[in-house]
Amino acid sequence: MKYYYPDYFDDFTCVPGHGCPDSCCIRWQITVDSATMRKYRRVEGTLGERMAEKIDPKTRRISPHGEDNRCEFLNEDNLCDIVLELGEEALCETCRTHPRHEEVYLNVREHSLAMTCPIACKQLLEREEPVAILEREEKGKHDFDIYFDKKLFQILLPTRDVLLEIAKDREMSINKRMMMVLGLSHDVESRIRKRAARKYSGLLADKLPIFPNFTEEEKHSLEHIQEAYRSENAYDKLEKHLDEMIYDEKYFRQESEQSVNTIMSDMLFALSTMDALRPDWPAFLQSVLNERAEMSREDSRDRVAEYMQEEKEVQLEQLLVYFLYVYVCTSVYDEQLLAKCKMAVVNVLLIREMWFMRWLENNGNISIDEQAEIAHWYVREIENSDENMEQWDSLMQRNPRFALKKILKVLIRSDILKRHS
């Protein structure tokens, strides 16, 4: 069994009680694992009665309650009554491990430290050195799953390695790195789609999914793409292709600010179509949209350029690496690699936009605490809801608001403003 994890994974320590700026026991529906549920059924006294009443016996869910949507067992001191009475070992698997997350693949386990935790988020944003993804292998029983596309997974792992290399290449601006990420994922997915056309269909495929092999030509092509994006002049080659899709720099400097602003507003508006976990999230999004709408084209361009001169690209790099590491390999289930990378890039762009708006509100200042608050809040609204995560992924695949050309326009305009300010 192989295990992957970021190099900071084991360094995290939870801050309990009111020391945490946003408890993970609020606004999150918890499902108790079956083994822990059997233990809870044997608990006696007042706590046992509360467990029998507040945990749904069929779904094993602990639904949040009240105006603040708090866990039934979170007391006024923001401490868990289960821990206080029974100890940490009595927590269900989700509560015991969060914000540590495990993604399960065939014979592979990938661990991450969720940015939904404000403490983990702030620690990541404060980090200066590049994140390394570590690997270890342990002996043990291996999985067997005929429904897992192992052949595609073997393509995705080295592809992600290259994507993470690009994301951490500080010789390039962060905007160029994100363009490279989109270019690589687009090119790799086009080869994946060729193989997909050879899949079996009909009754047999429904009963026993058969994943065809990649041909030698396809494997060679995928290896060539990875090597090409690793080369020193990779961005120069990509830029020539971008010129065919998008207009020249003169166009972006003089004509396109308003259209790019509209693209960003459309992306932000799409967030408001999803379920809000915090009641003040829609109002926050609307305030960002209103502030953007009130800015003139010239003021927007000048203030964005000013902000980008002050921003720390290393923070955007850490965000990008986090999202790529978590999302890329999940495309083994739907073959939508580009959508996963678009989601990673758009997340970075929208968090940057929210930081920029807070910077404007504060007359040209934003603290690390404010950055961590906004970033973790954003990620929590998306990743703490399965429905929101599925909708966000679907929007990246099908909604014209998130067309590749539009995302590239935003990145090119951002890069030009930063270089010419």
Side-chain angles (χ1 to χ4, degrees), residues 120-132:
C121 181
K122 183 179 178 182
Q123 290 175 350
L124 182 62
L125 293 176
E126 289 177 327
R127 180 186 174 113
E128 294 289 339
E129 62 273 21
V131 171

Side-chain angles (χ1 to χ4, degrees), residues 110-351:
E110 294 198 338
H111 293 162
S112 59
L113 203 58
M115 277 182 55
T116 53
C117 168
I119 303 301
C121 181
K122 183 179 178 182
Q123 290 175 350
L124 182 62
L125 293 176
E126 289 177 327
R127 180 186 174 113
E128 294 289 339
E129 62 273 21
V131 171
I133 304 301
L134 306 179
E135 174 187 347
R136 75 174 188 272
E137 190 163 358
E138 296 182 2
K139 293 182 179 179
K141 186 177 180 181
H142 283 211
D143 305 319
F144 178 75
D145 188 349
I146 60 174
Y147 293 92
F148 186 82
D149 193 346
K150 185 176 181 181
K151 296 160 187 174
L152 176 57
F153 194 66
Q154 290 171 340
I155 296 297
L156 291 173
L157 282 174
T159 299
R160 187 180 63 180
D161 289 343
V162 182
L163 288 166
L164 293 176
E165 286 178 24
I166 292 170
K168 294 185 287 185
D169 185 357
R170 298 182 181 179
E171 296 297 317
M172 289 190 292
S173 71
I174 190 65
N175 297 299
K176 289 180 178 178
R177 284 181 254 175
M178 287 191 279
M179 283 187 267
M180 289 273 283
V181 163
L182 294 174
L184 173 57
S185 59
H186 172 274
D187 293 349
V188 169
E189 185 177 299
S190 67
R191 274 59 175 186
I192 292 173
R193 288 183 180 276
K194 289 183 177 180
R195 185 202 70 144
R198 301 196 305 274
K199 280 187 177 180
Y200 290 91
S201 60
L203 181 62
L204 180 61
D206 293 336
K207 298 293 184 182
L208 182 65
I210 300 174
F211 302 105
N213 290 317
F214 286 89
T215 66
E216 290 303 317
E217 181 180 355
E218 288 166 347
K219 290 179 182 178
H220 177 75
S221 179
L222 287 164
E223 292 172 359
H224 176 74
I225 291 170
Q226 293 167 7
E227 292 172 3
Y229 276 87
R230 275 189 167 120
S231 65
E232 292 183 2
N233 61 344
Y235 180 77
D236 295 334
K237 292 180 179 179
L238 177 64
E239 195 170 37
K240 293 179 180 179
H241 294 294
L242 293 178
D243 288 341
E244 299 173 3
M245 295 178 61
I246 306 178
Y247 307 100
D248 59 22
E249 289 192 9
K250 182 179 179 181
Y251 175 87
F252 277 90
R253 284 199 302 271
Q254 297 181 359
E255 304 294 340
S256 72
E257 284 85 355
Q258 187 61 48
S259 64
V260 170
N261 290 346
T262 301
I263 292 170
M264 290 301 300
S265 295
D266 285 346
M267 291 180 180
L268 284 164
F269 178 78
L271 284 173
S272 66
T273 66
M274 299 190 290
D275 291 337
L277 303 188
R278 274 176 55 161
D280 48 349
W281 176 245
F284 172 71
L285 288 178
Q286 190 59 53
S287 69
V288 174
L289 285 166
N290 291 343
E291 195 164 358
R292 165 61 74 187
E294 292 171 1
M295 297 178 68
S296 66
R297 186 172 67 181
E298 288 188 1
D299 190 34
S300 173
R301 179 188 60 201
D302 294 342
R303 297 311 303 273
V304 169
E306 183 183 352
Y307 172 76
M308 287 184 179
Q309 287 302 308
E310 298 181 12
E311 75 177 357
K312 294 179 65 175
E313 288 200 345
V314 65
Q315 292 178 321
L316 301 178
E317 172 191 313
Q318 306 296 24
L319 292 175
L320 182 60
V321 168
Y322 169 85
F323 291 125
L324 289 174
Y325 171 66
V326 172
Y327 295 163
V328 166
C329 285
T330 62
S331 59
V332 72
Y333 300 114
D334 61 7
E335 302 177 335
Q336 299 289 335
L337 174 62
L338 178 59
K340 304 303 181 287
C341 290
K342 284 164 67 174
M343 190 156 54
V345 169
V346 168
N347 284 351
V348 175
L349 291 176
L350 292 183
I351 291 172

Side-chain angles (χ1 to χ4, degrees), residues 13-52:
T13 302
C14 182
V15 177
H18 292 295
C20 178
D22 190 7
S23 173
C24 59
C25 304
I26 301 174
R27 292 176 298 276
W28 193 9
Q29 188 176 70
I30 301 296
T31 300
V32 179
D33 59 281
S34 56
T36 303
M37 190 65 189
R38 287 193 293 271
K39 296 178 183 177
Y40 286 174
R41 291 192 179 106
R42 295 194 294 268
V43 175
E44 299 178 347
T46 302
L47 180 61
E49 293 174 0
R50 288 172 62 194
M51 288 176 165

